[in-house]
Structure formats: C-alpha cells, structure tokens
Amino acid sequence: MRFPGGKGKTYHHVINVMPPHRVYIETHLGGGAVMRHKRPAARNIGIDPDLKVVSAWSAEGLSRVELVRGRAEDFFAQYEFRGDELVYSDPPYHPQTRRQPRVYNWDYSVEDHERLLALLVSLPCMVILSGYANSLYSTSLVGWRTRTFQAKTHTDVREETLWFNFEPPQILHDSRYLGTDFRTRQTTKRRLQRLRDKVARMDPVERAVFLAMAKRRVSLHIPERRAMTQTGAILTRTGTIQIEFPSPDALLINDVRWGAIDAFPTPAYWQYQVIARRLAGRPAAYKLGHTLSEEVAACVLGGHGIPAPVGIAAYEKLRKSGAFAETPPSVEQFEAWLREPLQVGQRKVRYRFAAQKAR
Ligand SMILES: C[S@@+](CC[C@H](N)C(=O)[O-])C[C@H]1O[C@@H](n2cnc3c(N)ncnc32)[C@H](O)[C@@H]1O
C-alpha cells in the first residue's frame, strides 16, 4: 500500500533518531513504511481510522503489530503510558503546506492539527512527528529538536522535518540504517561488529554492568519526570533480561536513596549485582548467614572490637531466637536477647554492645 507522503524511501531518516524503547506506537499508520522497516519493539501498535488501511494490514497477517482502527487522539486518551514508549506520528500534511487539496479518506483540518499537537506535547513519553515546516508546528513545539531531510515527491524534491521531544540519541533502537549513504553505513557496520565482538568476550558480570551503564546513559536523555524507574539489562545464557529498579532518587529507608545501579556502592548497585549473579548461576556466597539480612547482622554483630567467636555466638543466638524471621522483633526484644550471657566454648560471655544502635 503506497501513500502520498509515505515514508517508503525515507524511513531510515526517522529510524535514525529513535532511541531504544519498549513500546512503539505509530499513529497515522497508512502504509507504515517506518513500522515495516524498523526493528520491532517488545510491543508494536499501529493506529489508523481508515478501514482500507487496517484491512490491508490485517490481510498481511503481521502478528507482531497490534492494529487499532481509530483516531490517534482517541487512542491517546485511553492508553496508559509508562514512559518507555516511543510515539511516531506522520499526520496528513498541514493545509498551509499542501499542494493538492485533499489526498486521504480521513483528512486533517487545521483544528485537527492543533488538537494533535496539544496532545503530543502533553504525552509522558518520547514523541517524533514528521511533516513540512509550518508556523503552527514551530510555535506549538517549543523546545523540541528538529532534523530535516530531502524527500522526493512525484514532482520535485522537498525538505521534510522531524520534530522530536528528546535529545538526539547516542544509542539507537535500530542502528542498521546508520549513515546517510551506503559507504558510511558499511564502515559503521564493521566498526559496530568489532565492538559487539568485544562485548561478547567480556566477563558476564562485567558485561551486565556495562550494558546497564549504556542503558542508563539513554535514560539520562529522557526528561526527569519520565525517568520514574531505572532499567538494568542482565545478560543470561538464554538472552537479555531487563529488570526495573526504583528511580535513583526514590527513598529506600529513612533518608537513604536507592541511587544509580551503576554507581558503586549504592543500594541499587548491590541489588543489581545480587540479581545479576543469581541469574548467571553464580549466587553470592554468604560466609556466615543464609540470607542477605543474616549476613549483614553477622557482620554488624562482629564489628567494633568484638572478638570473632563472640560476634558469631551472638549472631547464632539471635538467629536461633528467630530474630530474622519474617516479622522483625522489637528493639527491646533484640536488646533482651543480646543481654543474656552467651556460651562461647567453655565460657559464659556478655555481649558488650547490647544496647548499641546502628546508625
Ligand atoms: C501521511 S499518511 C501516513 C503515511 C505513512 N507514514 C506511510 O509511510 O505510508 C496519513 C494517514 O493518517 C491517517 N489518519 C487520518 N486521520 C487520522 C487520525 N485522526 N488518527 C490516526 N490516523 C489518521 C490517514 O488515514 C492516513 O492513512
């Protein structure tokens, strides 16, 4: 299916501004040249109110594309955004820029354009919009970035504009079309292949940290209010698993924040390490405890000048008393247990810091 203004020859320009995303939403789908050529996201949604368009797609049976027959505006009103979506809209051209009066079954008035722009600027995710430069777009899309490219029409060559609401990406969702011509694309491909081989040779845990860092660099380019979580990529034998962690600013306890997963030694960093090791089949080996909280307790009880056997005896006593059960005991109960004499070898010993609070 070919459309006037379709992206059949220019899709790579659009794909080359796309940062990684989980959900891809292409409104004003038409022939959907971009949807067809880009690497699919985890979820792919195509929207068009024209029955002919939707039927043509359905007939092709591309099961990875969820088709929605309806208007983009109505779809946005009910879709629950998570922030990791990328919306691409290629609406019919603005009347001001159009050379022929009417080209689609479902056309777009100036009011339609205004409504669409108002919606797009309010979306809590990444958005790319394409069209010919016009005054409505430039006054509505304040602060958006633009990139232009030349596109052949059936009569001449015209400059098309891409407007997008994020920093130009340093990492692309699909890098296969990198480079403006064949030669540069080949060189880039080779350079990337060498890099890929290098990453494949890395130690698995190091590689996972590296990938998480790369991911984080990408999320840094998403405006603050959108980065509600951070994602860690963990490479396993069977593929990459993405795990979401709370945002670096989220509070863990009291005034301790989660921090960034790639910033040693934040809680998120350790959480990530533990999960990555478990998934790699190399769970963290605890020395004294059986769980992380037991291990931490054993370390705390053995610190501050307490002889090792006394620390271990205190820890064993607390563990047997049920101090690390699902519901933690009260501070008083803890203290009472620690005040009782400990059996260390043949001797009874008192734990010196029974009332000491961890700071
Ligand atoms: C410029 S064409 C899209 C061309 C497409 N990018 C391609 O590569 O073929 C515009 C499309 O927008 C659709 N459309 C019109 N009004 C719409 C609306 N309110 N919401 C979503 N799509 C709409 C039309 O049916 C038409 O298929």
Side-chain angles (χ1 to χ4, degrees):
M1 190 167 193
R2 284 220 37 144
F3 270 84
K7 296 285 170 284
K9 294 235 161 58
T10 49
Y11 54 83
H12 61 282
H13 294 291
V14 186
I15 296 174
N16 283 344
V17 295
M18 292 186 169
H21 48 275
R22 186 181 58 90
V23 181
Y24 177 65
I25 302 171
E26 187 167 327
T27 68
H28 309 81
L29 184 65
V34 175
M35 175 76 91
R36 284 173 199 285
H37 286 88
K38 76 182 274 293
R39 190 165 65 75
R43 213 182 146 192
N44 308 280
I45 306 173
I47 304 157
D48 204 296
D50 193 336
L51 182 60
K52 277 218 305 259
V53 169
V54 175
S55 310
W57 276 84
S58 311
E60 284 182 61
L62 287 174
S63 56
R64 64 178 164 81
V65 182
E66 296 170 41
L67 294 169
V68 177
R69 191 192 156 200
R71 295 171 58 87
E73 298 81 349
D74 300 329
F75 174 85
F76 291 144
Q78 51 78 45
Y79 180 84
E80 271 185 44
F81 283 90
R82 267 179 40 177
D84 49 7
E85 296 87 358
L86 172 66
V87 168
Y88 169 53
S89 287
D90 184 28
Y93 298 128
H94 188 272
Q96 210 183 67
T97 67
R98 188 175 294 158
R99 291 166 175 169
Q100 298 161 309
R102 189 190 145 94
V103 266
Y104 308 109
N105 293 342
W106 289 73
D107 232 331
Y108 243 52
S109 64
V110 175
E111 292 71 39
D112 287 328
H113 280 277
E114 284 171 352
R115 203 165 323 124
L116 178 70
L117 290 178
L119 269 167
L120 292 180
V121 297
S122 73
L123 293 186
C125 69
M126 297 177 281
V127 180
I128 304 172
L129 175 67
S130 55
Y132 293 136
N134 65 81
S135 54
L136 171 67
Y137 280 31
S138 53
T139 48
S140 307
L141 303 172
V142 185
W144 287 42
R145 302 268 174 163
T146 57
R147 221 180 245 188
T148 55
F149 59 89
Q150 303 300 318
K152 259 208 182 114
T153 70
H154 32 256
T155 49
D156 56 1
V157 174
R158 256 182 115 172
E159 185 177 82
E160 277 212 44
T161 302
L162 295 174
W163 289 264
F164 48 101
N165 69 350
F166 47 86
E167 295 287 315
Q170 290 176 3
I171 300 168
L172 294 179
H173 178 83
D174 185 346
S175 51
R176 290 173 304 168
Y177 305 103
L178 253 183
T180 36
D181 59 64
F182 183 75
R183 278 267 301 273
T184 43
R185 217 171 289 165
Q186 286 308 97
T187 329
T188 316
K189 229 184 217 163
R190 252 174 267 136
R191 221 183 24 237
L192 284 171
Q193 188 55 47
R194 279 199 295 275
L195 197 63
R196 217 171 288 145
D197 294 344
K198 214 171 183 173
V199 174
R201 286 195 302 269
M202 280 175 144
D203 164 83
V205 173
E206 211 172 277
R207 180 172 43 209
V209 174
F210 168 76
L211 291 174
M213 271 160 51
K215 261 247 133 32
R216 186 160 160 66
R217 280 195 69 101
V218 173
S219 69
L220 284 178
H221 294 295
I222 301 174
E224 193 51 43
R225 70 193 163 96
R226 287 166 199 161
M228 301 301 285
T229 57
Q230 47 186 330
T231 310
I234 295 174
L235 223 86
T236 70
R237 260 159 301 176
T238 46
T240 310
I241 295 178
Q242 305 217 350
I243 298 189
E244 284 202 75
F245 295 84
S247 102
D249 286 336
L251 281 179
L252 173 62
I253 39 164
N254 299 334
D255 50 1
V256 179
R257 295 183 191 279
W258 274 92
I261 45 179
D262 53 0
F264 172 84
T266 61
Y269 172 88
W270 286 118
Q271 172 95 308
Y272 174 79
Q273 292 297 322
V274 168
I275 296 175
R277 291 188 69 114
R278 278 191 195 145
L279 287 172
R282 298 193 293 146
Y286 298 128
K287 294 211 165 56
L288 296 165
H290 302 104
T291 62
L292 181 61
S293 57
E294 289 188 9
E295 183 80 351
V296 170
C299 291
V300 170
L301 288 161
H304 44 73
I306 298 269
V310 178
I312 291 169
Y315 158 70
E316 283 301 342
K317 161 143 197 146
L318 287 182
R319 194 174 63 80
K320 285 196 189 114
S321 313
F324 310 116
E326 202 127 281
T327 12
S330 64
V331 177
E332 290 72 19
Q333 178 63 75
F334 246 107
E335 208 179 305
W337 281 327
L338 283 177
R339 281 195 190 288
E340 286 167 27
L342 299 165
Q343 189 70 39
V344 180
Q346 305 301 319
R347 295 179 306 132
K348 288 247 183 245
V349 181
R350 283 197 178 275
Y351 189 77
R352 276 165 56 204
F353 299 115
Q356 179 82 40
K357 294 218 170 50
R359 264 190 279 264

